[in-house]
């Protein structure tokens, strides 16, 4: 998807050649208000369906305040932020990408809508971390995008789940291979995760990861890779010096945390 630019634009861009790319509800001027976001229409908690996900996508195109109102509406329905992250924001990001691929949105509108979606994660971060807080577990994690990645929302969301599980998390978005290496060697980590979105740096990672692990302060460093490539082409990630994970954030946290616990038991 497009590069996330956290500009708090309050309305979708307008001008010649843009209106015809808007989703149908926006082209017709349909408002995103309480009746649409669950304040009065929905009764009780139910799974977030595609209609509600489309409402969030449309709200992100209208502005950040509209997107927040959708989340507030879902919370009034009884949705937890974990539900909203996994069943609302995650598929909404995917939907925006599909609209872009189908030429229903142009680059500028996709960028702005995606920025608003990512800003929601930042806005609700404190509340999310307090929703199910756990004590620090003494484990540290480095999460990196591949060098020059154009998006990091999924990585940030994953970091929030690890933090809530008690990990100390460092997140990096390296612009090039040199910065990737510097971040990897910047501290002592129990584990490192890399989000891979494209195949541009697969050969580089295939060569680089064994070197970085061998030179790490932690000789038992556990490395895993995930991200879009792990879901759409996991076979392309085979051969990397890392465990390939194609699972949602809670499952990834559980698997890595359990692996660290098992390793500690075997050592003792």
């Amino acid at each position: 998807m497009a590069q996330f630019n956290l500009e708090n634009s309050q309305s979708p861009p307008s001008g010649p050649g843009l209106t015809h790319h808007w989703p149908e509800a926006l082209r017709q001027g349909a408002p995103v208000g309480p009746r649409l976001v669950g304040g009065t229409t929905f009764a009780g908690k139910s799974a977030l369906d595609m209609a509600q996900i489309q409402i969030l996508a449309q709200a992100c195109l209208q502005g950040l305040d509209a997107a927040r109102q959708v989340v507030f509406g879902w919370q009034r329905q009884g949705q937890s932020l974990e539900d909203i992250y996994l069943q609302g924001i995650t598929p909404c990001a995917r939907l925006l990408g599909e609209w872009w691929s189908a030429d229903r949105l142009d680059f500028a509108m996709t960028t702005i809508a995606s920025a608003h979606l990512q800003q929601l994660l930042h806005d609700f971060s404190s509340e999310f971390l307090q929703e199910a807080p756990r004590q620090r577990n003494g484990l540290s994690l480095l999460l990196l995008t591949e060098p020059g990645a154009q998006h990091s929302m999924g990585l940030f969301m994953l970091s929030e789940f690890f933090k809530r599980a008690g990990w100390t998390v460092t997140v990096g978005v390296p612009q090039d291979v040199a910065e990737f290496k510097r971040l990897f060697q910047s501290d002592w980590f129990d584990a490192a995760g890399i989000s891979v979105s494209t195949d541009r740096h697969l050969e580089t990672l295939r060569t680089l990861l064994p070197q970085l692990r061998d030179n790490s302060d932690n000789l038992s460093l556990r490395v895993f890779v995930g991200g879009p490539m792990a879901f759409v082409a996991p076979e392309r990630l085979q051969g990397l010096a890392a465990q390939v994970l194609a699972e949602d954030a809670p499952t990834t946290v559980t698997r890595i945390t359990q692996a660290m616990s098992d390793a500690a038991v075997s050592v003792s």
Side-chain angles (χ1 to χ4, degrees):
M1 289 176 61
Q3 176 71 38
F4 291 111
N5 172 16
L6 300 183
E7 174 188 354
N8 293 341
S9 175
Q10 294 302 306
S11 61
S14 60
L18 287 180
T19 304
H20 72 281
H21 287 295
W22 293 6
E24 187 65 27
L26 286 184
R27 290 206 306 271
Q28 296 178 356
V32 177
R35 291 186 60 80
L36 288 178
V37 303
T40 60
T41 298
F42 301 105
K45 177 180 177 181
S46 59
L48 298 177
D49 58 21
M50 181 52 64
Q52 295 191 66
I53 292 165
Q54 289 176 341
I55 288 169
L56 177 59
Q58 293 165 1
C60 286
L61 288 164
Q62 287 192 355
L64 183 56
D65 285 344
R68 289 194 186 107
Q69 290 305 313
V70 174
V71 175
F72 291 149
W74 289 348
Q75 288 182 305
R76 290 195 297 272
Q77 289 176 227
Q79 303 289 349
S80 68
L81 281 175
E82 179 170 337
D83 292 336
I84 290 169
Y85 282 15
L86 297 176
Q87 299 174 21
I89 291 179
T90 296
C92 183
R94 190 178 304 120
L95 179 62
L96 289 172
E98 291 173 358
W99 282 352
W100 182 21
S101 297
D103 200 31
R104 295 182 63 187
L105 295 177
D106 64 14
F107 179 83
M109 294 185 70
T110 305
T111 299
I112 291 172
S114 299
H116 292 156
L117 200 59
Q118 181 162 351
Q119 186 63 43
L120 291 176
L121 298 180
H122 290 272
D123 290 349
F124 287 92
S125 176
S126 295
E127 186 177 344
F128 175 77
L129 295 178
Q130 290 302 314
E131 198 172 68
R134 298 185 194 175
Q135 292 185 339
R136 298 274 184 176
N137 59 19
L139 296 171
S140 61
L141 171 70
L142 173 67
L143 289 176
L144 295 175
T145 62
E146 63 184 312
Q150 293 187 318
H151 60 91
S152 59
M153 188 179 74
L155 196 72
F156 180 80
M157 183 184 292
L158 180 61
S159 76
E160 294 286 275
F161 278 89
F162 269 106
K163 289 176 185 177
R164 199 168 70 162
W167 288 69
T168 298
V169 184
T170 300
V171 179
V173 185
Q175 295 305 299
D176 53 34
V177 173
E179 187 178 6
F180 182 93
K181 293 170 63 175
R182 180 183 64 78
L183 289 169
F184 208 99
Q185 299 170 328
S186 62
D187 206 341
W188 197 100
F189 300 103
D190 291 289
I194 303 158
S195 176
V196 181
S197 302
T198 70
D199 59 2
R200 290 179 302 169
H201 293 286
L202 287 183
E203 290 306 315
T204 299
L205 291 174
R206 202 163 272 118
T207 301
L208 190 59
L209 287 182
Q211 299 173 5
L212 292 173
R213 293 184 68 169
D214 290 344
N215 295 323
S216 170
D217 291 337
N218 177 12
L219 296 181
S220 300
L221 178 70
R222 181 174 295 273
V223 181
F224 63 96
V225 293
M229 284 286 290
F231 287 91
V232 301
E235 69 282 357
R236 301 291 304 277
L237 301 178
Q238 299 300 325
L240 296 180
Q243 179 183 4
V244 179
L245 292 179
E247 296 165 327
D248 64 16
T251 305
T252 297
V253 172
T254 298
R255 289 193 59 175
I256 296 300
T257 303
Q258 186 60 53
M260 298 303 302
S261 177
D262 293 345
V265 169
S266 66
V267 169
S268 63

